[in-house]
């Protein structure tokens, strides 16, 4: 997926009213920065995330992020890979320990633009996060890695959502 491929996906994406500004900022950022997929672009970069559903689609997996000490969906840096969907799948596999993960479809599920605070000498910067709807197709158990304090399957009951972070709640509502 080249830059233009992601721009085409973004062009087709119909954002919720909350996401309109995020879509606009992301498109502008991609057009302005050839190296938008590179972490070395210190002002910000494209990241890819997964709203990962279990096999019967009754639960989604969230992680309590070690560095940021907050609950998020699985995901991470593209590190030069322009195929955001492939990155979302790879990150979901790495962070969940589950290998049998596929995309529900090839369309964008959600977009978010958020600030990441300075951490260990890496300056504060912006993540332009492209999110995809993925699902588990096997019977593997989750395996936590160093990036998370906890992994938790959440059902469709909003009371069980461990965060009120709007960009996570928005995906939960979808």
């Amino acid at each position: 997926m080249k830059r233009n491929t992601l721009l085409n996906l973004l062009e087709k994406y119909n954002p919720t009213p909350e996401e309109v500004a995020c879509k606009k900022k992301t498109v502008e950022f991609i057009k302005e920065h050839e190296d938008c997929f590179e972490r070395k672009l210190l002002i910000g970069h494209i990241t890819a995330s997964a709203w990962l559903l279990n096999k019967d689609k009754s639960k989604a997996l969230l992680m309590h992020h070690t560095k940021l000490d907050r609950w998020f969906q699985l995901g991470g840096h593209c590190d030069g890979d322009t195929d955001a969907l492939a990155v979302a799948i790879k990150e979901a596999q790495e962070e969940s320990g589950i290998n049998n993960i596929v995309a529900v479809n090839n369309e964008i599920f959600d977009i978010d633009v958020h600030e990441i605070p300075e951490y260990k000498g890496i300056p504060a910067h912006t993540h332009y996060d492209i999110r995809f709807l993925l699902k588990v197709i096997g019977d593997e158990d989750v395996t936590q890695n160093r990036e998370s304090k906890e992994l938790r399957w959440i059902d469709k009951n909003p009371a069980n959502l461990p965060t009120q972070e709007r960009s996570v709640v928005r995906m939960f509502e979808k």
Side-chain angles (χ1 to χ4, degrees):
M1 185 183 297
K2 302 254 185 260
R3 240 174 23 138
N4 286 338
T5 305
L6 183 53
L7 286 171
N8 289 338
L9 273 178
L10 286 162
E11 185 178 308
K12 290 185 225 171
Y13 182 63
N14 185 21
T16 64
E18 267 182 85
E19 297 172 276
V20 170
C22 292
K23 178 180 175 179
K24 183 179 187 297
K25 288 177 187 176
T26 301
V27 168
E28 289 170 357
F29 181 75
I30 293 169
K31 288 180 177 179
E32 290 172 12
H33 300 280
E34 289 265 335
D35 56 350
C36 62
F37 294 94
E38 299 286 348
R39 198 185 307 214
K40 69 181 181 191
L41 181 59
L42 295 179
I43 61 167
H45 29 263
I46 300 295
T47 57
S49 291
W51 189 254
L52 181 62
L53 302 175
N54 66 349
K55 194 173 178 179
D56 69 4
K57 299 181 184 175
S58 65
K59 296 180 180 179
L61 188 64
L62 291 181
M63 69 181 287
H64 190 186
H65 198 277
T66 298
K67 272 198 298 194
L68 299 174
D69 195 28
R70 292 170 36 206
W71 287 92
F72 293 109
Q73 72 286 346
L74 308 175
H77 293 94
C78 289
D79 289 328
D81 189 341
T82 60
D83 187 341
L85 175 55
V87 171
I89 292 170
K90 175 182 73 78
E91 290 290 332
Q93 290 169 329
E94 289 175 1
E95 293 177 348
S96 72
I98 298 172
N99 291 312
N100 293 309
I101 295 173
V102 297
V104 171
N105 58 50
N106 293 336
E107 300 167 6
I108 293 171
F109 178 65
D110 193 85
I111 303 171
D112 195 59
V113 176
H114 52 270
E115 298 303 312
I116 300 297
E118 182 274 332
Y119 183 78
K120 292 188 177 179
I122 298 170
H125 58 282
T126 304
H127 278 183
Y128 297 84
D129 198 30
I130 311 299
R131 296 153 170 197
F132 296 90
L133 184 60
L134 307 180
K135 69 177 180 177
V136 173
I137 57 171
D139 293 319
E140 301 165 81
D141 291 327
V142 297
T143 305
Q144 187 176 329
N145 72 15
R146 62 178 169 66
E147 292 183 53
S148 65
K149 292 181 177 183
E150 181 183 347
L151 294 169
R152 185 184 304 170
W153 288 106
I154 54 159
D155 61 21
K156 296 178 182 182
N157 181 348
N160 294 332
L161 197 58
T163 181
Q164 291 305 305
E165 180 76 34
R166 187 63 203 142
S167 74
V168 176
V169 172
R170 181 176 64 231
M171 289 186 292
F172 177 83
E173 292 170 347
K174 290 181 179 185

